[in-house]
Structures are given as C-alpha cells and as structure tokens.
Amino acid sequence: MGDKIKVRKSKEKVIEVATGLFHRKGYQPTSVDEILERSGVKKSTFYYHFKSKEELALKILDMRIEEFESDVISKTLCETSISPKNRLHKFYERVKAFHQSLKCYEGCPFGNLAIEMSDINEKFRTRLSAFFKRWEEAIESCIREGIENGDFRSDINPTLAAGLILSQLEGAIMMAKTYKTLDPLANGAQTVLKLLQLA
Amino acid sequence: MGDKIKVRKSKEKVIEVATGLFHRKGYQPTSVDEILERSGVKKSTFYYHFKSKEELALKILDMRIEEFESDVISKTLCETSISPKNRLHKFYERVKAFHQSLKCYEGCPFGNLAIEMSDINEKFRTRLSAFFKRWEEAIESCIREGIENGDFRSDINPTLAAGLILSQLEGAIMMAKTYKTLDPLANGAQTVLKLLQLA
DNA sequence: CAATTAGTACTGACTAGTTAGTCCTAATTT
DNA sequence: AAATTAGGACTAACTAGTCAGTACTAATTG
C-alpha cells in the first residue's frame, strides 16, 4: 500500500517535469514520451489533461511569463519604493543569480523559445513578442524616471536605451551559455549601468 | 536525357541544402531524410561522403565561420584602409542587409546553434565559443584603434565594449526574429555608435 | 433511500509515421 | 583501377497521438 497516492497529481507533475525539459532541451527535442517517463504519468492520462504537446508548452510558457513578470519585473524594475538606478541594479543581480544557479546552462527560457519557435509557430511568437514588448516598457519607464530624478544622463532616449538593454541582456545570456562563464552577463550589466550615468 | 547531370555534385548539393535547413530549422529538427529528399541524393551516397549527420553539421559550421570571418569581419571590422568608426558602421550595415534579405526570418546561424547545442554537444560549443571570442577581439581592436585616432571616447574599456557590442548584436537579431522587424537591429546599431562617441 | 447519471482521473494496447544509420549489389564516371 | 552514384531493403528505436474501457466520487432522480 501507499503507492497509489498519485491521485489528482498527474497534471501538476507533468507541468513541473515538462517545464524543466523544455528549458533544458527546447520544445521540439523534448518528446512526450520522455516527459511521461520522468513524471511517471501514462500517455492516456497526459492526453486526458492536454490536447497536445503544443497546448502543454503554450500553457507552460504563459505560466513562466506570468511568474517572471510578477516575481522579477514587478519586484525590481517596477519597484517604485527604491531608486531607478537601484531598481536596474537589483534586476541585473536577480538575472545573474538565476544563471549562476544554473551554472550557465539552459539559458533564458524565453530567448531560447523565441529562437526555436518564432519562425515556425505564430502562437509562440505572438506571446513572446508581446512579453518582450512589456519587458522593454518596464525598462523604459525605469530609465525615464531615472532621468527625471537625476540617476541617469538626460541625453539618452529611454525607448532606444530600453531596447538596447533587453537585447544586450538576451545576447549576454546566450554568450554565457556558450562560453560557460557568467562574465558576459556581469560585464554587460556593469557597462550598461556605467553608460547610463554621467561621466 | 539531361536529368543525370548530377555527377560528382552530390556532396556539394547536400552541403548547400543542409546549410539552408540547419539555418532555418536548427540542427536537431532537420532530418537526414529531408536533406536527402531536397537534394535528390540517395542515403547510401550521403553516408559515403559523411560518416554522420553530426559530421556534416560540424563541417558546415566550420565553413560558415570561415566564410563569415573572411567575407564580413575581414572586410568591415578589420578593413584598416577605412576609419574605425566607418568600419563599425559598415559592419552593422552588412549585418542589417543580411537580415533584411531574410525578412527577419532564420536569425543568426551562429547564435541559433549556440543556444541549441552549447549544453548538449561540446564539439559545437568549443567551435562557437572560439569563434565568438575572435569576433569580440576584432571588435575590440577596432574600438581600440578608434580611441587612439579620436573616433571614440577615451573613457571606454575596449574589451568590455566589444563584449557588449557582440551581445547586443546577437540579442537584437533574436528580437528582430521575434518581432519580425529590423528595428531592434537598426536602433541598436544607432545607439551603440552614438554611445561610443563624444557627446 | 436506492438507483441512476455525470464528471473526473486514469490505464493499457494500439496506430501510423519518422528517426539515424547499415548493408549490399550494380552501374557509372574520371 | 579508383572514386562516385543509384537503388533498395532493412533495423531498432522513437514520434505524437488515439481509443475503448475502468475506477471512483458526487449530484440527481424515482
């Protein structure tokens, strides 16, 4: 007795396991069979909960986006109780800590998916595109406020700078994954922060 | 008659077709069968020339790296007959033209592969890592020279700036592919060029 | 109160197609 | 003679997805 306690836990277990696999291996190279094997869930149960592998991945993407926006963006870039400069700094620290905990493996779950899926699946692309846009806007607001309160140079364009910062961050995560060192991320954060401020 | 002119062309044809497919779909999602079908080459002929799909992909990667270094990096960033500032400008123009011709599809063949393969295949990772390093060094030399001749601000660190520029470029290509617009690339180039120069 | 129905969660067996790669012989080209 | 290509049969593992049916619980009905 005791080995039938998996009642009403299959769906959560599948989501948990698939979240890790999609991040590690990507969407396409992750097979439903591997998700099933690692989660101990039967195929028939999987297809009872999800109508397809795509539906599962889109649900997981939505969950990760929501989590990132409420746990990271809201608590750093949008945390108006601290100064814009410190908000941006805190944001970089959070991202660095995340990739340090991953030992520079896996990379950005959103960037990975954007590269893998943007050309071949419009559902993934529109979600990622809208999310990146909101992310840029959060950075932009932070910069705009930092210019107003004197944290940042007044001769920079907040919109352009925000776009540059997000691009640079995603590229740095890509480089960190390739070089297997956090340096691109740390150096990028340092350089961006310096460039935003007065000489 | 006339449709048997594929003599001694199988290898080149496979490389040509696979180069496109690996760029468009990635390494793993591209099947040997699809390469064969599109190139009109038989499986036995394929395995006569290449011992595996991996060997083919590594060969193609080496070719693309060599081509990029001699056709793009050498002729822009390292073209010492023009000024550092104009070299960097020309480099950005080449990259923008490339992705414009692709209508913001496909992305960077190197960045795509770096994200897909760095964690799972050390042969791909070491090649990409060494290539990115050389690319950064080319940018760094260009900046260093630009500081010396007065093109760029003297208070920037060429090493850090080069790392930032490559990261930003790769991230901007990712964003361009996701948003399906060249703006991230164009804005990034403009902003970087401005930041490098005196106010 | 007993019988029925409906909804949720789950199972095992199955399909039809794809995957990379092998093996062999015969023909053709250089 | 050596290199290259054609043609095809084949393997073993893997791919996403289907299907009929079981077990249990809660609400509904006669």
Side-chain angles (χ1 to χ4, degrees):
Chain A
M1 70 261 203
D3 58 339
K4 276 276 162 57
I5 325 175
K6 42 182 162 183
V7 197
R8 280 166 198 274
K9 284 273 174 278
S10 298
K11 193 173 182 180
E12 287 90 335
K13 188 70 190 166
V14 161
I15 289 174
E16 178 199 321
V17 167
T19 299
L21 286 174
F22 287 150
H23 189 191
R24 251 167 269 152
K25 312 177 56 169
Y27 169 71
Q28 296 174 100
T30 297
S31 74
V32 174
D33 283 354
E34 185 176 1
I35 295 169
L36 266 24
E37 200 187 336
R38 297 206 189 214
S39 58
V41 169
K42 303 292 172 179
K43 185 159 278 194
S44 33
T45 304
F46 177 91
Y47 282 101
Y48 167 75
H49 290 294
F50 309 98
K51 78 174 225 286
S52 65
K53 178 185 169 187
E54 186 197 41
E55 190 194 82
L56 168 65
L58 288 171
K59 171 158 195 161
I60 288 175
L61 175 58
D62 287 340
M63 289 172 67
R64 289 206 84 147
I65 288 174
E66 207 188 312
E67 193 195 358
F68 187 82
E69 291 187 313
S70 60
D71 281 12
V72 181
I73 295 180
S74 294
K75 293 180 181 173
T76 60
L77 296 170
C78 301
E79 183 52 71
T80 49
S81 65
I82 51 179
S83 77
K85 183 187 149 188
N86 283 333
R87 264 184 256 166
L88 198 54
H89 181 76
K90 194 172 176 177
F91 169 72
Y92 274 124
E93 291 303 313
R94 280 289 299 266
V95 175
K96 278 196 286 178
F98 178 65
H99 292 284
Q100 187 161 46
S101 78
L102 291 170
K103 293 181 173 148
C104 296
Y105 276 80
E106 307 195 23
C108 173
F110 310 113
N112 295 354
L113 216 47
I115 282 188
E116 185 188 353
M117 304 300 290
S118 286
D119 283 358
I120 59 172
N121 189 312
E122 192 67 5
K123 290 175 192 164
F124 283 85
R125 194 193 70 78
T126 50
R127 276 167 172 80
L128 289 162
S129 163
F131 163 62
F132 283 140
K133 183 95 189 300
R134 291 194 300 276
W135 192 350
E136 276 191 47
E137 284 163 357
I139 300 172
E140 182 181 339
S141 296
C142 183
I143 293 174
R144 203 178 293 281
E145 212 182 308
I147 293 172
E148 281 167 19
N149 88 331
D151 270 2
F152 303 134
R153 294 165 47 165
S154 57
D155 64 335
I156 57 167
N157 178 325
T159 310
L160 292 182
L164 180 130
I165 285 172
L166 182 55
S167 291
Q168 196 281 323
L169 180 72
E170 286 295 337
I173 295 169
M174 178 196 289
M175 291 299 146
K177 180 173 178 170
T178 310
Y179 290 136
K180 289 283 172 267
T181 161
L182 222 58
D183 293 354
L185 216 38
N187 290 341
Q190 185 200 314
T191 309
V192 164
L193 247 9
K194 190 194 157 200
L195 284 171
L196 286 176
Q197 290 162 86
L198 301 160
Chain B
M1 67 260 202
D3 57 341
K4 277 273 161 59
I5 327 175
K6 41 183 160 182
V7 196
R8 266 170 199 280
K9 284 275 177 277
S10 298
K11 193 173 182 181
E12 287 88 336
K13 188 70 189 168
V14 161
I15 289 174
E16 179 199 321
V17 168
T19 298
L21 286 174
F22 287 149
H23 190 191
R24 251 167 268 150
K25 311 175 59 167
Y27 170 72
Q28 297 174 98
T30 297
S31 73
V32 174
D33 282 353
E34 185 177 0
I35 296 169
L36 265 23
E37 200 187 338
R38 296 203 190 217
S39 57
V41 169
K42 300 294 168 179
K43 187 161 276 197
S44 40
T45 303
F46 177 90
Y47 282 102
Y48 170 76
H49 289 294
F50 309 99
K51 77 173 224 288
S52 65
K53 178 186 170 187
E54 186 197 41
E55 190 194 81
L56 168 66
L58 287 171
K59 169 158 195 157
I60 288 175
L61 175 57
D62 287 339
M63 288 172 67
R64 289 207 85 147
I65 287 174
E66 207 189 311
E67 192 195 0
F68 187 80
E69 291 188 310
S70 60
D71 281 11
V72 182
I73 296 181
S74 294
K75 293 181 180 171
T76 60
L77 295 171
C78 300
E79 184 52 71
T80 49
S81 66
I82 51 179
S83 76
K85 183 186 149 186
N86 283 332
R87 266 183 256 165
L88 197 54
H89 181 76
K90 195 172 176 179
F91 169 73
Y92 275 124
E93 289 304 312
R94 280 289 298 269
V95 174
K96 276 196 288 177
F98 178 66
H99 293 284
Q100 187 162 44
S101 77
L102 290 170
K103 292 180 173 147
C104 296
Y105 276 80
E106 309 196 21
C108 173
F110 311 111
N112 295 353
L113 215 46
I115 283 188
E116 184 188 353
M117 304 301 288
S118 286
D119 282 359
I120 59 172
N121 189 311
E122 193 67 5
K123 291 175 192 165
F124 283 86
R125 193 193 70 77
T126 51
R127 276 168 173 79
L128 289 162
S129 164
F131 163 62
F132 282 142
K133 184 96 187 301
R134 292 193 298 276
W135 192 350
E136 276 191 48
E137 283 163 357
I139 300 172
E140 183 181 337
S141 296
C142 182
I143 293 174
R144 204 177 294 280
E145 211 181 311
I147 293 172
E148 281 167 18
N149 88 332
D151 270 3
F152 303 134
R153 294 165 49 167
S154 57
D155 65 333
I156 56 167
N157 178 324
T159 310
L160 292 182
L164 181 131
I165 285 173
L166 182 55
S167 291
Q168 196 282 324
L169 181 71
E170 285 295 335
I173 295 169
M174 177 197 289
M175 291 300 147
K177 181 174 178 170
T178 310
Y179 289 137
K180 288 280 170 271
T181 160
L182 222 58
D183 293 354
L185 217 38
N187 290 341
Q190 185 200 314
T191 310
V192 164
L193 248 10
K194 190 194 157 203
L195 283 171
L196 286 176
Q197 289 162 87
L198 301 160

